[in-house]
Amino acid sequence: MQIELFNTLTRRIDPFEPLRDGEVRMYTCGPTVYDYAHIGNMRAFLCADLLQRVLRVVGGYEVRWVMNITDIDDKTIRGSAPGSPLWRPEMGEQTDDPRENLRRYTSFYEQAFLEDIERLHIRRRDLSAMPRATEYIPQMQDLVRRIVERGFGYIAGNSVYFDLSAWQAVAPYGRLLPIDLASIKPGARIDADQYERQEVTDFVLWKAWKPGEPYWDFELQGRQLPGRPGWHLECSTMEHELLGLPFDIHTGGIDLRFPHHENEIAQSMAGYGVDPTRFWVHNEFLEVEGQKMSKSLGNFFTLRDLLKQGIDPLDIRFAMLGAHYRSPFNFTFAGIEAARGARKRVQEYIYALHEPAPDDGIHVDVAAVRERIFSHLAHDLHTPKAFAEFFSFLNATPATALSAESRREVLHFISELNQIVDVWDIAPRPPEEIPEEIRRLAEQRWQLRLQRRYAEADALRYQIQQAGYTIKDLRDGYIIERL
Ligand code: AMP
Ligand code: ZN
């Protein structure tokens, strides 16, 4: 099916075709591993996951999906420094090597991130690479060198900067978000990785080392410039190394349009001579009471916070996927609860499809339903319309009324849909779990029997039976069954 996507570059919904036949190459700006990610960050990764799954399942493409790990930037350096409140005992002792400290610190949060995305069913197997920025330093230095050689970068105070005035003379800047070019202060420079649109100036490609910070040696134009890459440079390099330029789709949250993505475009064009990608896809924010969820506002939850409250991560996945990615998602506990109910309803429907069908079961046109639902997904990932269509089908078509053939077809379709949504269990209802308390009593009884204390053992058997379970004794053990 033809996929259409809203492209930030053109500001309209465009038909999508990959550059190479049948294969989509897609890059997602990954997490900065300086702390646990909050669920606002997770929305960005869930939106990217939705996109790559729709490309595979609805578009029929192979997808090469790369998401980087930002393990060197202002925040990770700050967090791994001596005395940082974000340093945890699990990371071991701080050493006197800042690079080793950075490695210990970021690998802890990287591991936490991998566990979090796994819980949200963002599958590691769908990612063809998760490059760490620190593993591509020589390639980053090569890009800095190219940019400087082509006249779009310069050294100042042991750092290297991108020369915006030189670039502006030959190419547009502000392609993703309009920028007031008159506000550019010639010669002004910014070192921070993140900054506002009002601050548009020459930005840093390579940052000079400061005492106590991790650094890599770098020689440029006969000068020794120990330091580390700027954040924007990292993504430009890893895209080039792992996907090749140009590639098909670049994703991220809308806050990354400027300066991060704008600077990526400028760097890749200035250094490699290639406009890096044709489709820029940006997700809106996850909000709490009308404000972006963020660390700086303090209005955030991590996935772990929510798990501790007994929330199932798949209910979070389902709730987030249910909102259109270009609309703000308002996070509320009531919303998660509603998603839980809706998800469970579908699960019960799936179990019912596995039950024996009546002889006079009705037949439904599953192909038509599939066509409608998939075309909503193909049209700029419109999950709200797709889900509404799906639920109206379920409401109008009780599973118990369906013929055996229709049940098979509906089940097949739901399992296809679940390759995208990935929150249901397609198999028949599993045998009921034996409650912990019953298992404990059964084990006690078994021990009593081994001690030949039969009267006490029988009393426990009776107690277990009263609770609705029975025990079958085997020669060297027992099994518990529901009565
Ligand atoms: P970071 O780890 O800060 O680089 O952010 C990772 C991703 O999360 C980026 O794509 C951000 O745009 C995105 N992001 C940050 N906050 C939110 C939010 N409240 N809602 C949705 N996406 C967000
Ligand atoms: Zn990036």
Side-chain angles (χ1 to χ4, degrees), residues 111 129 150 169 325 401 444 474:
Q111 188 52 39
R150 288 164 174 244
Y325 77 99
Q444 264 181 24
L474 311 172

Side-chain angles (χ1 to χ4, degrees), residues 27-30 68 70 231-232 234-236 239 250-251 256 260-261 264:
Y27 186 90
T28 296
C29 285
N68 73 295
T70 299
W231 173 43
H232 317 300
E234 298 177 7
C235 285
S236 281
E239 293 155 19
H250 195 312
T251 81
L256 299 190
H260 188 51
H261 290 165
E264 272 185 39

Side-chain angles (χ1 to χ4, degrees), residues 83-248:
S84 157
L86 292 172
W87 188 277
R88 302 171 64 94
E90 298 93 315
M91 298 168 186
E93 289 290 312
Q94 284 240 341
T95 69
D96 49 18
D97 176 359
R99 247 166 81 173
E100 175 59 17
N101 292 341
L102 182 74
R103 195 194 59 76
R104 289 184 186 189
Y105 175 80
T106 55
S107 51
F108 175 85
Y109 287 117
E110 177 188 311
Q111 188 52 39
F113 176 76
L114 295 178
E115 288 165 14
D116 284 355
I117 62 171
E118 190 62 40
R119 289 191 179 107
L120 288 168
H121 282 188
I122 296 171
R123 310 281 193 177
R124 186 63 186 81
R125 62 164 185 262
D126 286 341
L127 280 150
S128 61
M130 292 190 90
R132 296 187 187 100
T134 50
E135 287 165 0
Y136 289 83
I137 302 284
Q139 293 88 336
M140 291 172 194
Q141 296 177 337
D142 172 62
L143 178 54
V144 176
R145 200 169 281 121
R146 286 170 185 245
I147 293 171
V148 172
E149 277 168 9
R150 288 164 174 244
F152 300 113
Y154 60 90
I155 302 173
N158 297 331
S159 291
V160 186
Y161 294 89
F162 190 86
D163 186 340
L164 213 48
S165 313
W167 181 243
Q168 285 247 284
V170 299
Y173 186 75
R175 290 170 65 197
L176 296 171
L177 258 185
I179 282 167
D180 176 11
L181 299 174
S183 70
I184 297 183
K185 302 178 205 81
R189 290 186 282 271
I190 191 146
D191 279 317
D193 284 331
Q194 277 157 338
Y195 56 93
E196 301 296 325
R197 248 195 296 173
Q198 302 81 280
E199 300 175 79
V200 43
T201 54
D202 292 356
F203 58 89
V204 74
L205 298 169
W206 182 261
K207 277 197 194 194
W209 171 74
K210 293 195 201 77
E213 288 191 352
Y215 70 90
W216 285 260
D217 288 324
F218 181 32
E219 190 189 315
L220 184 68
Q221 296 184 326
R223 296 200 28 203
Q224 293 303 325
L225 304 173
R228 43 109 177 178
W231 173 43
H232 317 300
L233 188 86
E234 298 177 7
C235 285
S236 281
T237 306
M238 289 182 277
E239 293 155 19
H240 174 261
E241 295 302 313
L242 288 148
L243 291 175
L245 303 187
F247 59 96
D248 298 297

Side-chain angles (χ1 to χ4, degrees), residues 30-32 38 40-41 44-45 252-253 255-256 283-286 292-293:
T32 306
H38 60 66
N41 301 131
F45 308 124
D255 54 332
L256 299 190
N283 64 275
E284 254 291 351
F285 289 136
L286 180 144
K292 172 190 176 187
M293 178 175 280

